[in-house]
Structures are given as structure tokens and as C-alpha cells.
């Protein structure tokens, strides 16, 4: 099953193809995505799946992503599994997942080998102080992007604060923390939805 | 199968099922298990591995692979990867049909919304723990602060920020 991309428009209003991708297409598609997505795979995943390969329409993508963000696991990892499963069943799911993580696994192990061989070199140590500090900065920015919108919702902000205290300050295990906080978070959300009179 | 591999499998399959809101929410628990419970590495080694994984392409869970490899070589990498990716993937597969069926039910939106603050607290905890472990020298705190600001306020690609941080680190200035 070969796809001819020659006639595909690259504008915003692309429609998905009629023909479902093959297992091989799924593997190669996610392999390419894994190799090229630096700094988070999500923005690239959208472009590749909706605009370039036209496997899904924009709204189908958003809906499937909603599921993947809701479930445990990395968003794009879940997306590769869900998309593969939807098109080609178990083999498709496996092809998507393996495609996505094969390349990055090899690259990251290569970097790990390099690091272990050179970590006693003072230059490498210095470089790593800078790299790790920058990576921490990116993580802080990501946390801020999720936390800041909670300003308008004091009850939700309190749940977030409790989670932060339990994990970062008290160093409690994750499982019991989540077993307590998740129902509280859902109760808070249910109350907020009731109050605003939303019914669906 | 060695005790280490069994421990890796247990830890990461549990983390797999608890990773609501993506990979960054489970970093603190991963660090707690790997550093404090099992003493496989120090906190600063853990954040070095985190930094390496951030500099590599792919989904932001590649630290999992790296931790497995660091602890027990290729078998460790394999066991850890399967433990981390298989359980959540099985959940995704089984949820796929239910999700379509319950698309318009109100509880779906409530549950989705209720997980947001939990995720927010966990990612914030990750950020603090990683920053604390990474930043011993004052220059590191400066790099972290400036990177966080730039990532929030501008559209600079994260890879440029990692590269700039590494270069400043390489000069050894302030360390």
C-alpha cells in the first residue's frame, strides 16, 4: 500500500485520505517522528499526522489526543498506540509504538555511553552542569504553563498545592498521593461544573 | 532474572499506570525509587540522565530507557522499556472503544478536568526536585531561571536553550 503524496495540499484545510495506512506506513511514520521531534513530540505529531500524512482530520486528531492526555502514559506514546490500533489492530499499535521509541532509544543510549566514558573529564562535567540547568529551566516553564491557569480556580489550585507539598516537600510515594488527590480533584471539578450550570 | 531486573520491572510498570498527565508527573517518584529507595545512583546523576534524555529526540519519556540501561545494561533497558510502555499502552487500547461510546457523557469531561490540578501539582514538584538536584553552582541557578523565562515568554526552540546552557556550562564560569 503505497501513498502518493504528490497531490496532497499542504494548506490548513486538509482532509484525511480514504485509504488507511499500512502497518509499514505506521512504523515508518512514527519512526520519522521519533527521530525528528526535539523538545517534545506533540507539535510535530500533529503536523505529521494531520497535514503531511493525512491519517486523521484536525478534529479527529484533537479528540484522539484528548483520550491520550486523559490516560496514563506519555501523550504521543499513547497516540502512536491508539492510532495504530484504530487503523490496523494489534500489529498497527505495536508498529506505531516501536517506531516511535526505536530511534530515540538508540540515540539516548548512545548519549549515555558517551556520558559514562567522559563524565570524569572536567569539560564534560562543566558542560553537563549547564545542560542539566537548562533542562531544569524548560521543566519549570512547562510546570508554569500548567499551573498558572489555575489562578482563577482556588479549589483546583489548592489540590495542585497539596500534590506539590506531598511529592516535592514530604517526598510521599506517588500511589497513595494519587489515590487521595484524584477523587478530590474530580469532586472539585464536579462542583465547578455544577455551579457554572453546565450540563454537558 | 536478577533481583535488580525484577525491581526495575515492578517500579516502572507501576509508574506506567500512574503517569496521568504524561511523563513529567512521575519524575519525582522515579527519582525517589531510583535514588532514595534503591540507591542505584545519586540525585545529581539522575538529573544528568534527565538532561541527556531532554537533549535527545523523541517523546519526553526517554529517561526511562536511560535509567534502565544505566542500572542494568541492555537487559535493564529492555525490561524497563517494556515495563514502562506496555501497561499504559494496554490501557490505551482497551479505552479506545469506551472513549468513543462515552464521548458525550458529562462525567468524561469532569474526570478530565479533575485530573488537571493533580497533574499541575506533580509537574511542579518534578520541576522543583530536578532544579534542586541540577543546580549546585550559582551559575546553574541563573541558567535555569533564564531558560525558564525564555521558554515561557518567547518561542525560541527548546534545543537552542539546551545548547546555550551547555555552552555557558562548558566555559566553567561560576562553577
Amino acid at each position: 500500500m503505497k501513498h502518493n503524496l504528490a497531490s496532497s495540499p499542504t494548506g490548513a484545510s486538509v482532509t484525511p485520505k480514504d485509504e488507511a495506512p499500512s502497518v509499514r506506513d505506521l512504523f515508518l511514520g512514527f519512526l520519522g517522528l521519533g527521530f525528528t521531534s526535539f523538545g517534545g513530540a506533540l507539535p510535530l505529531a500533529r503536523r505529521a499526522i494531520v497535514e503531511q500524512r493525512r491519517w486523521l482530520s484536525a478534529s479527529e486528531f484533537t479528540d484522539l489526543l484528548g483520550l491520550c492526555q486523559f490516560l496514563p502514559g506519555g501523550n504521543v506514546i499513547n497516540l502512536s498506540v491508539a492510532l495504530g490500533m484504530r487503523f490496523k489492530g494489534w500489529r498497527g499499535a505495536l508498529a506505531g509504538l516501536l517506531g516511535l521509541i526505536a530511534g530515540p532509544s538508540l540515540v539516548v543510549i548512545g548519549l549515555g555511553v558517551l556520558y559514562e566514558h567522559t563524565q570524569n573529564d572536567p569539560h564534560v562535567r562543566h558542560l553537563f552542569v549547564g545542560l542539566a540547568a537548562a533542562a531544569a529551566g524548560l521543566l519549570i516553564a512547562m510546570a508554569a504553563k500548567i499551573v498558572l491557569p489555575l489562578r482563577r480556580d482556588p479549589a483546583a489550585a489548592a489540590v495542585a498545592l497539596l500534590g506539590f507539598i506531598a511529592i516535592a516537600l514530604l517526598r510521599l510515594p506517588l500511589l497513595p498521593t494519587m489515590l487521595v488527590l484524584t477523587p478530590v480533584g474530580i469532586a472539585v471539578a464536579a462542583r465547578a461544573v455544577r455551579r457554572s450550570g453546565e450540563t454537558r | 532474572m536478577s533481583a535488580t531486573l525484577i525491581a526495575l520491572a515492578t517500579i516502572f510498570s507501576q509508574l506506567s499506570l500512574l503517569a496521568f498527565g504524561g511523563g513529567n508527573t512521575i519524575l519525582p517518584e522515579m527519582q525517589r525509587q531510583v535514588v532514595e529507595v534503591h540507591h542505584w545512583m545519586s540525585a545529581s546523576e539522575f538529573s544528568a540522565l534527565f538532561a541527556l534524555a531532554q537533549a535527545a529526540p523523541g517523546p519526553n519519556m526517554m529517561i526511562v530507557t536511560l535509567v534502565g540501561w544505566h542500572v542494568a545494561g541492555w537487559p535493564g533497558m529492555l525490561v524497563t522499556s517494556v515495563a514502562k510502555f506496555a501497561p499504559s499502552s494496554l490501557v490505551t487500547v482497551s479505552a479506545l472503544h469506551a472513549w468513543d461510546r462515552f464521548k458525550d457523557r458529562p462525567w468524561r469531561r469532569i474526570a478530565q478536568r479533575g485530573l488537571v490540578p493533580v497533574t499541575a501539582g506533580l509537574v511542579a514538584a518534578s520541576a522543583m526536585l530536578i532544579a534542586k538536584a541540577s543546580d549546585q553552582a550559582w551559575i546553574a541557578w541563573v541558567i535555569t531561571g533564564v531558560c525558564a523565562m525564555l521558554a515561557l515568554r518567547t518561542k525560541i526552540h527548546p534545543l537552542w536553550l539546551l545548547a546555550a546552557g551547555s555552552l555557558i556550562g562548558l566555559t566553567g564560569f561560576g562553577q
Side-chain angles (χ1 to χ4, degrees):
Chain A
M1 256 190 268
K2 272 201 182 144
H3 294 316
N4 181 12
L5 287 173
S7 62
S8 71
T10 45
S13 58
V14 279
T15 47
K17 287 186 233 185
D18 296 330
E19 197 182 352
S22 68
V23 171
R24 190 167 161 271
D25 291 337
L26 287 164
F27 180 81
L28 292 178
F30 281 103
L31 186 72
L33 186 62
F35 266 122
T36 51
S37 55
F38 286 92
L42 197 52
L44 268 181
R46 193 195 156 81
R47 204 164 66 199
I49 292 168
V50 177
E51 288 164 29
Q52 290 166 348
R53 296 181 184 267
R54 297 189 297 145
W55 288 342
L56 295 177
S57 71
S59 65
E60 283 170 335
F61 180 86
T62 306
D63 185 59
L64 201 59
L65 182 64
L67 170 70
C68 296
Q69 288 175 326
F70 174 66
L71 296 173
N75 297 333
V76 181
I77 291 169
N78 286 346
L79 197 65
S80 71
V81 172
L83 204 73
M85 188 71 197
R86 183 160 282 181
F87 284 127
K88 286 286 170 232
W90 287 104
R91 291 179 57 219
L94 204 61
L97 176 65
L98 289 181
L100 183 63
I101 61 176
S105 295
L106 292 178
V107 173
V108 93
I109 298 292
L111 289 175
V113 171
L114 213 62
Y115 172 67
E116 297 215 329
H117 282 288
T118 55
Q119 70 186 129
N120 294 320
D121 179 288
H123 293 300
V124 173
R125 255 205 328 269
H126 284 154
L127 181 139
F128 255 86
V129 168
L131 176 63
L138 294 181
L139 193 55
I140 289 176
M142 173 185 266
K145 275 178 200 160
I146 311 176
V147 169
L148 289 178
L150 298 180
R151 275 173 309 185
R152 276 163 266 132
D153 189 348
V159 174
L161 185 65
L162 280 178
F164 177 80
I165 292 171
I167 297 295
L169 305 181
L170 305 179
R171 298 300 273 133
L172 296 178
L174 183 60
L175 181 61
T177 305
M178 285 203 62
L179 286 179
V180 172
L181 281 184
T182 305
V184 176
I186 290 173
V188 164
R191 201 190 56 151
V193 167
R194 249 199 332 273
R195 276 197 176 173
S196 60
E198 298 165 358
T199 47
R200 51 151 288 157
Chain B
M1 201 160 142
S2 76
T4 307
L5 291 182
I6 293 172
L8 282 173
T10 315
I11 292 168
F12 283 92
S13 50
Q14 196 200 58
L15 288 175
S16 177
L17 295 174
L18 289 178
F20 286 95
N24 288 325
T25 55
I26 53 167
L27 275 176
E29 177 73 3
M30 203 189 301
Q31 193 207 42
R32 197 181 72 87
Q33 292 282 357
V34 167
V35 176
E36 288 167 30
V37 178
H38 290 277
H39 306 289
W40 284 321
M41 62 188 80
S42 69
S44 64
E45 270 181 297
F46 183 83
S47 51
L49 294 190
F50 172 73
L52 266 186
Q54 292 297 94
N60 57 13
M61 283 316 301
M62 297 323 296
I63 184 183
V64 166
T65 314
L66 206 47
V67 166
W69 177 80
H70 184 88
V71 171
W74 292 105
M77 176 217 158
L78 214 63
V79 166
T80 309
S81 298
V82 171
K84 178 61 187 71
F85 297 125
S88 58
S89 299
L90 289 177
V91 171
T92 301
V93 164
S94 19
L96 208 52
H97 293 107
W99 185 254
D100 290 336
R101 208 166 74 222
F102 298 128
K103 209 170 173 159
D104 297 319
R105 300 286 173 83
W107 62 258
R108 194 186 102 166
R109 236 160 39 98
I110 290 173
Q112 216 168 345
R113 185 169 163 174
L115 279 172
V116 171
V118 181
T119 302
L122 296 180
V123 176
S126 294
M128 199 199 89
L129 291 170
I130 291 287
K132 227 171 70 180
S134 305
D135 298 351
Q136 313 288 339
W138 66 267
I139 185 74
W141 282 108
V142 174
I143 294 172
T144 298
V146 173
C147 274
M149 285 306 281
L150 288 176
L152 263 179
R153 296 279 163 81
T154 68
K155 291 199 183 302
I156 299 177
H157 196 282
L159 211 55
W160 289 116
L161 297 175
L162 293 175
S166 307
L167 279 180
I168 296 171
L170 187 61
T171 64
F173 176 72
Q175 293 183 40

